[in-house]
Short mmCIF file of all heavy atoms in Angstrom, two decimals:
data_model
loop_
_atom_site.label_atom_id
_atom_site.label_comp_id
_atom_site.label_asym_id
_atom_site.label_seq_id
_atom_site.Cartn_x
_atom_site.Cartn_y
_atom_site.Cartn_z
N ASN A 79 6.22 -12.28 -15.33
CA ASN A 79 4.94 -12.87 -15.13
C ASN A 79 4.20 -12.07 -14.06
O ASN A 79 4.68 -11.95 -12.93
CB ASN A 79 5.07 -14.32 -14.66
CG ASN A 79 3.73 -14.96 -14.31
OD1 ASN A 79 2.77 -14.78 -15.04
ND2 ASN A 79 3.70 -15.69 -13.26
N TRP A 114 -4.37 -13.42 -23.83
CA TRP A 114 -3.97 -13.51 -22.48
C TRP A 114 -5.13 -13.70 -21.46
O TRP A 114 -5.00 -14.19 -20.35
CB TRP A 114 -3.15 -12.27 -22.01
CG TRP A 114 -4.00 -10.99 -21.94
CD1 TRP A 114 -4.18 -10.07 -22.88
CD2 TRP A 114 -4.66 -10.54 -20.78
NE1 TRP A 114 -4.97 -9.09 -22.47
CE2 TRP A 114 -5.32 -9.30 -21.16
CE3 TRP A 114 -4.86 -10.99 -19.48
CZ2 TRP A 114 -6.11 -8.60 -20.24
CZ3 TRP A 114 -5.68 -10.31 -18.57
CH2 TRP A 114 -6.28 -9.12 -18.97
N MET A 154 9.94 13.32 10.30
CA MET A 154 8.88 13.12 11.33
C MET A 154 8.61 14.37 12.13
O MET A 154 9.56 15.13 12.45
CB MET A 154 9.26 12.00 12.23
CG MET A 154 9.55 10.64 11.60
SD MET A 154 8.12 9.81 10.93
CE MET A 154 7.17 9.52 12.42
N ALA A 215 11.03 -27.34 -29.41
CA ALA A 215 11.71 -28.58 -29.09
C ALA A 215 11.40 -29.00 -27.66
O ALA A 215 11.20 -30.21 -27.36
CB ALA A 215 13.20 -28.44 -29.29
N ILE A 234 0.03 -24.80 -12.41
CA ILE A 234 0.08 -25.63 -13.62
C ILE A 234 -0.26 -27.06 -13.25
O ILE A 234 0.45 -27.72 -12.52
CB ILE A 234 1.49 -25.62 -14.28
CG1 ILE A 234 1.86 -24.18 -14.67
CG2 ILE A 234 1.54 -26.52 -15.55
CD1 ILE A 234 1.12 -23.59 -15.83
N ARG A 255 9.92 -25.35 -9.03
CA ARG A 255 10.17 -26.64 -8.45
C ARG A 255 9.97 -27.77 -9.51
O ARG A 255 10.07 -28.93 -9.15
CB ARG A 255 9.19 -26.93 -7.26
CG ARG A 255 9.30 -25.88 -6.18
CD ARG A 255 8.31 -26.15 -5.03
NE ARG A 255 6.95 -26.21 -5.50
CZ ARG A 255 5.95 -25.44 -5.07
NH1 ARG A 255 6.21 -24.58 -4.12
NH2 ARG A 255 4.77 -25.56 -5.55
N LYS A 274 22.03 -29.92 -6.32
CA LYS A 274 20.88 -29.15 -5.94
C LYS A 274 21.16 -28.08 -4.95
O LYS A 274 20.35 -27.18 -4.66
CB LYS A 274 19.72 -30.06 -5.43
CG LYS A 274 20.02 -30.71 -4.14
CD LYS A 274 18.81 -31.57 -3.72
CE LYS A 274 19.04 -32.30 -2.40
NZ LYS A 274 17.87 -33.12 -1.99
N SER A 275 22.35 -28.14 -4.34
CA SER A 275 22.85 -27.07 -3.39
C SER A 275 24.29 -26.96 -3.54
O SER A 275 25.04 -27.92 -3.86
CB SER A 275 22.42 -27.47 -1.95
OG SER A 275 23.04 -28.67 -1.57
N LEU A 305 18.12 -15.38 3.34
CA LEU A 305 18.56 -14.08 3.77
C LEU A 305 18.17 -13.87 5.20
O LEU A 305 17.01 -13.67 5.53
CB LEU A 305 17.95 -12.97 2.88
CG LEU A 305 18.52 -11.59 3.06
CD1 LEU A 305 19.93 -11.52 2.53
CD2 LEU A 305 17.70 -10.56 2.22
N LYS A 340 21.46 -24.92 -27.89
CA LYS A 340 22.09 -23.78 -28.54
C LYS A 340 21.91 -22.50 -27.79
O LYS A 340 22.22 -21.46 -28.34
CB LYS A 340 21.62 -23.71 -29.98
CG LYS A 340 21.93 -24.90 -30.86
CD LYS A 340 21.42 -24.72 -32.27
CE LYS A 340 21.70 -25.93 -33.13
NZ LYS A 340 21.20 -25.80 -34.52
#
Side-chain angles (χ1 to χ4, degrees):
N79 175 43
W114 71 268
M154 303 289 296
I234 300 289
R255 304 177 302 236
K274 66 178 180 180
S275 61
L305 190 66
K340 296 181 181 180

